[in-house]
Amino acid sequence: MAYLIEDNPARRRFEILVDDNLAGTAHYRLAPGLVVFTHTEIDPAHQGKGVGSALARGALDQVRQRGERVQAPCPFIASFIRSHPEYADLVAPESAPY
């Protein structure tokens, strides 16, 4: 499987394409210097195959590259950050701990 994670600012979501097909999305709101992840969805055909984790990792990596921080009211993204402490530094202090 080939993954591609892209930011789609017009739809305010990160998208994961699996073999060129949309397999999931991580929706967000923006604030100055901050990406607030609100909801993540993975197509049922791709659940349990690591697609959600790949989407979270790719989205968080892009946020890091832009020099922004995150808040994660989305339970999936919050859980991913808790399980992957290498992303804990991205969490905005007012929303910590995850």
Side-chain angles (χ1 to χ4, degrees):
M1 265 191 287
Y3 297 139
L4 176 64
I5 294 95
E6 297 180 315
D7 187 6
N8 183 337
R11 292 192 164 190
R12 292 189 182 127
R13 68 186 192 185
F14 285 91
E15 301 172 340
I16 186 165
L17 304 175
V18 176
D19 298 328
D20 296 322
N21 296 305
L22 183 64
T25 55
H27 299 259
Y28 61 79
R29 294 187 321 261
L30 295 176
L34 187 66
V35 177
V36 181
F37 286 98
T38 58
H39 181 69
T40 300
E41 292 182 46
I42 302 299
D43 184 290
H46 296 284
Q47 291 178 356
K49 299 178 181 177
V51 173
S53 292
L55 173 58
R57 182 173 282 108
L60 292 169
D61 287 345
Q62 289 183 46
V63 169
R64 184 185 306 281
Q65 289 173 352
R66 297 191 309 225
E68 297 175 314
R69 305 293 292 273
V70 301
Q71 288 182 346
C74 168
F76 183 84
I77 298 293
S79 176
F80 182 87
I81 292 170
R82 276 193 304 275
S83 298
H84 297 85
E86 65 271 24
Y87 292 104
D89 64 306
L90 291 177
V91 177
E94 52 279 0
S95 65
Y98 277 105

